Amino acid sequence: MTVTGSRGSLPEPATVRGRFRIPQSVLGYALILLPLVVMGTLILYPAFLSIADTVTEHSPGGSLQVSLADYVEFFNTPLAVRNLAFSLRITAVTVAVLFLAGFPISLYLRFTHGRLGNLIQMLALFPLFVPGIIAAYALIRFIGDNGWLERFLHLLFGYEGFTSPYLRPAGIVVGLAWEGISITVLILTAGLSQIPDSLLETATDVGANRWQSFWRITMPLMKRSVLIVLTLNFLTVFGSFTIPYLLGPASPEMMGPYMRRTFYDANLPSRAQVQAVITFLISAVISLLYVRSVVSQKVEEES
Amino acid sequence: MRSMVGRSLRLVAGRPWFGICLLLLLALVILGPMLNVFLWAFTRNWAYPSLLPTVWSIEFWDDTFARADILEGFIASVWISLIVTGLSAVICLPAAYAFARMQFPGRTFLLLSFLATNAFPRFGLYITIAVIFFRLRLIGTVPGVVLIQLVNTLLFMIWIPTAAFQGVDRALEEAALDVGASPLRVFLQVTLPLVAPALAAALLLTFIGTFYETQGALLVGVPEVRTLPVVMIRLINNQVIVQYGAILSVALWVPSLLLLIFAQRVLRGNTIASGFGV
């Protein structure tokens, strides 16, 4: 489609554009070149360079050869393996917590209208408006020793057995769940809103009960949104740094803080590279699932 | 089992108590931490187990803003965020126009390729960038911090403006062209005013997102470049006086909240979700 195409048979005004024009595709490529170059140099190049660096080594003769020695070393380091397993465990728990908390909220928001629903939505989206570093600080005060949560439990229920999750594994889960709940609810409600009321009403008309229409209609139509939420949350949590660094224990630690310590404190960039590539490989399948479900959705919208 | 779940589902959706419980729980968990920080900012003493500060005071406010590290961090953050936002706009906005308005092979694929920023575990990606910066001696420099923060901005700065340009009614532009306006004039006087709110929102989101960006700045900036979030991390780790961090949080968060609310009003509800692929 050209710019002038829809103007029918009106004569072309004598503009500069009319006499001399660059083909639209050339101009289009020229305009999008810059961000593509930035993405290539700042995302793809570093990632592939690290992969290349870590699977090769210089032989005594000076030539490059393929070697997986760096990875063998990683998996022979008990601390590294322990941190990796810890990261995966925290990630799995956080993704599950986010889904189990976010899905009921989204369902509630989809099927209720009115002021209560609006308030709940505002609260659920609130963390989106709190920068991560401020949220981390606030959560430390809230869940920490002698924090507000402990005081509440003490005054309301006389509960004395509170152990603060701050600087414990649970602290990471709390922090990441607090930060992630908004996006989870946002994506799930967006998915639910694409299910037309008429479809659910039809199901009720032909005698389906709430549970049946939920299981047979809502869930199948939600598959993609659920997949996007699970995969995106996995990538966000697994690749996180600030919350585990500030709220988590010093040992074991998640891959984020561990990689920074290797890079910065231990000053071993090449070993940090190996750790980073391992996080890439582990999330590769998840990334693929995420990108594929988003792409299929976008392509559908475009057509 | 199924009918039991079905019955409870029916009960839940039909009664307001579920909503009210949800509301109270969310209010405690979501608002509690922020409210707590607000109170800390106006506290001198807060003995356990009192729910409210035992001695109120604003004496720490002057101290906080007199601290050299906070002042320098603030200036560094403002400058770096301005540079990143400007750079991101120059790089991305023409591309957004092209994605919205021009036809070329591979357009949809290339537009979606910017999802790559979401598809890597973020901190692992930053480590691989930092390794290159280490070799290029960009660690501890402002250009290093600017470049690593630029990574975060691409997706929103392309997707939001692309959607905005696509939303402009072409008939308006064509009408202006028909009455003899030059393409440049049509762009400046018809197209631009229509997309201005969305562009402003994209710029604002980018600025705020960059201002509070923590992990890239910490990894690449330290020790020479310290943005405000990095200063804040030091305050948290040192735990000297609780009030400094609390006051900084309150002072920084309120303006950002107002700006973000503005940005969200301008954008259609689902724009933020669309950045994550929904």
Side-chain angles (χ1 to χ4, degrees):
Chain A
M1 190 184 81
T2 62
V3 179
T4 52
S6 54
R7 279 199 282 156
S9 57
L10 281 173
E12 180 97 354
T15 58
V16 180
R17 205 168 43 108
R19 272 182 273 124
F20 174 79
R21 80 169 30 178
I22 309 166
Q24 205 181 55
S25 57
V26 174
L27 193 60
Y29 285 131
L31 289 177
I32 65 165
L33 188 64
L34 214 48
L36 286 176
V37 167
V38 171
M39 190 172 64
T41 43
L42 285 178
I43 298 174
L44 303 181
Y45 172 66
F48 285 110
L49 183 78
S50 280
I51 295 173
D53 276 355
T54 51
V55 296
T56 53
E57 67 174 12
H58 288 278
S59 67
S63 63
L64 268 183
Q65 62 188 42
V66 175
S67 154
L68 293 177
D70 288 339
Y71 293 92
V72 173
E73 190 194 334
F74 178 93
F75 285 104
N76 280 328
T77 313
L79 180 70
V81 176
R82 186 157 165 249
N83 286 338
L84 183 62
F86 179 70
S87 304
L88 286 170
R89 213 159 50 231
I90 294 284
T91 307
V93 172
T94 311
V95 169
V97 165
L98 277 171
F99 185 74
L100 293 177
F103 202 72
I105 297 176
S106 311
L107 271 180
Y108 183 81
L109 292 177
R110 169 67 181 82
F111 294 110
T112 43
H113 307 280
R115 208 181 293 166
L116 196 58
N118 288 344
L119 275 174
I120 289 174
Q121 184 172 28
M122 268 171 60
L123 282 177
L125 297 188
F126 183 82
L128 211 56
F129 299 104
V130 182
I133 181 72
I134 292 179
Y137 187 77
L139 282 167
I140 291 173
R141 298 270 77 83
F142 188 69
I143 63 172
D145 282 321
N146 293 348
W148 239 22
L149 190 60
E150 186 174 357
R151 290 166 198 244
F152 262 115
L153 293 173
H154 174 79
L155 287 180
L156 289 179
F157 309 108
Y159 182 68
E160 293 293 348
F162 181 83
T163 25
S164 166
Y166 176 46
L167 299 184
R168 291 200 171 82
I172 309 179
V173 177
V174 169
L176 289 169
W178 198 91
E179 281 194 337
I181 192 69
S182 305
I183 285 302
T184 307
V185 168
L186 211 54
I187 293 175
L188 290 176
T189 38
L192 283 166
S193 71
Q194 285 162 8
I195 302 172
D197 278 328
S198 58
L199 197 59
L200 298 168
E201 280 159 17
T202 314
T204 319
D205 287 346
V206 297
N209 62 32
R210 238 172 230 281
W211 180 248
Q212 282 171 328
S213 78
F214 171 75
W215 205 241
R216 298 269 176 80
I217 296 175
T218 310
M219 279 317 274
L221 289 172
M222 280 299 286
K223 229 193 243 161
R224 192 153 53 189
S225 303
V226 169
L227 195 63
I228 290 178
V229 147
L230 293 179
T231 50
L232 182 71
N233 281 342
F234 180 96
L235 292 169
T236 313
V237 171
F238 194 58
S240 66
F241 169 79
T242 309
I243 290 283
Y245 177 69
L246 291 175
L247 291 172
S251 172
E253 55 190 343
M254 278 183 78
M255 290 307 282
Y258 180 48
M259 285 189 280
R260 181 188 184 253
R261 214 159 47 78
T262 312
F263 179 85
Y264 188 80
D265 299 342
N267 200 8
L268 293 166
S270 57
R271 203 168 291 176
Q273 250 179 333
V274 177
Q275 296 161 1
V277 174
I278 285 173
T279 68
F280 291 169
L281 294 178
I282 285 178
S283 26
V285 179
I286 306 283
S287 307
L288 209 68
L289 284 174
Y290 167 71
V291 169
R292 214 184 55 180
S293 40
V294 172
V295 167
S296 72
Q297 177 142 334
K298 291 283 167 193
V299 169
E300 231 166 70
E301 278 167 21
E302 293 269 314
S303 60
Chain B
M1 175 66 201
R2 277 205 167 185
S3 71
M4 235 175 73
V5 180
R7 205 157 55 230
S8 43
L9 261 179
R10 209 163 30 242
L11 269 173
V12 158
R15 307 280 158 100
W17 58 259
F18 177 76
I20 289 170
C21 288
L22 193 60
L23 185 73
L24 290 177
L25 188 70
L26 277 177
L28 174 73
V29 174
I30 304 276
L31 296 182
M34 297 312 291
L35 212 60
N36 195 7
V37 165
F38 258 83
L39 293 176
W40 264 114
F42 302 98
T43 295
R44 180 188 294 157
N45 274 319
W46 195 342
Y48 186 81
S50 165
L51 271 188
L52 291 174
T54 19
V55 185
W56 298 77
S57 163
I58 54 163
E59 65 189 53
F60 287 99
W61 283 73
D62 286 342
D63 295 358
T64 306
F65 296 108
R67 283 179 66 112
D69 57 347
I70 289 179
L71 204 66
E72 282 162 19
F74 180 75
I75 293 169
S77 279
V78 168
W79 270 113
I80 290 175
S81 308
L82 282 175
I83 296 170
V84 170
T85 309
L87 205 58
S88 181
V90 170
I91 291 170
C92 296
L93 292 183
Y97 184 81
F99 277 125
R101 291 308 183 78
M102 296 175 185
Q103 292 298 321
F104 44 87
R107 193 189 67 94
T108 309
F109 169 78
L110 289 168
L111 181 58
L112 288 170
S113 72
F114 288 95
L115 272 178
T117 44
N118 275 356
F120 281 97
R122 187 55 55 92
F123 202 72
L125 182 65
Y126 282 180
I127 288 284
T128 63
I129 297 174
V131 168
I132 293 180
F133 285 7
F134 182 72
R135 291 174 194 167
L136 298 175
R137 297 182 188 284
L138 281 172
I139 299 283
T141 66
V142 171
V145 175
V146 166
L147 286 175
I148 205 161
Q149 295 193 324
L150 194 61
V151 171
N152 266 334
T153 67
L154 293 180
L155 187 65
F156 269 137
M157 203 56 127
I158 287 181
W159 281 24
I160 294 177
T162 299
F165 281 122
Q166 276 170 340
V168 174
D169 188 354
R170 299 289 279 267
L172 288 172
E173 296 174 350
E174 279 156 16
L177 281 172
D178 284 346
V179 295
S182 71
L184 182 67
R185 195 156 162 221
V186 171
F187 179 77
L188 290 178
Q189 296 197 334
V190 178
T191 317
L192 208 53
L194 287 171
V195 295
L199 293 193
L203 290 171
L204 210 59
L205 284 174
T206 303
F207 181 84
I208 292 172
T210 309
F211 192 89
Y212 293 106
E213 199 283 332
T214 309
Q215 46 190 19
L218 183 72
L219 184 64
V220 166
V222 170
E224 280 82 10
V225 183
R226 288 185 190 278
T227 61
L228 209 47
V230 175
V231 173
M232 186 103 171
I233 282 191
R234 237 193 352 190
L235 290 180
I236 293 175
N237 284 341
N238 295 344
Q239 293 265 0
V240 258
I241 294 177
V242 172
Q243 283 86 340
Y244 289 153
I247 289 166
L248 202 55
S249 300
V250 171
L252 288 178
W253 178 64
V254 173
S256 91
L257 179 74
L258 297 177
L259 291 174
L260 278 167
I261 288 174
F262 161 76
Q264 216 220 0
R265 287 183 86 95
V266 166
L267 299 170
R268 274 168 299 149
N270 283 339
T271 311
I272 292 178
S274 84
F276 295 92
V278 172

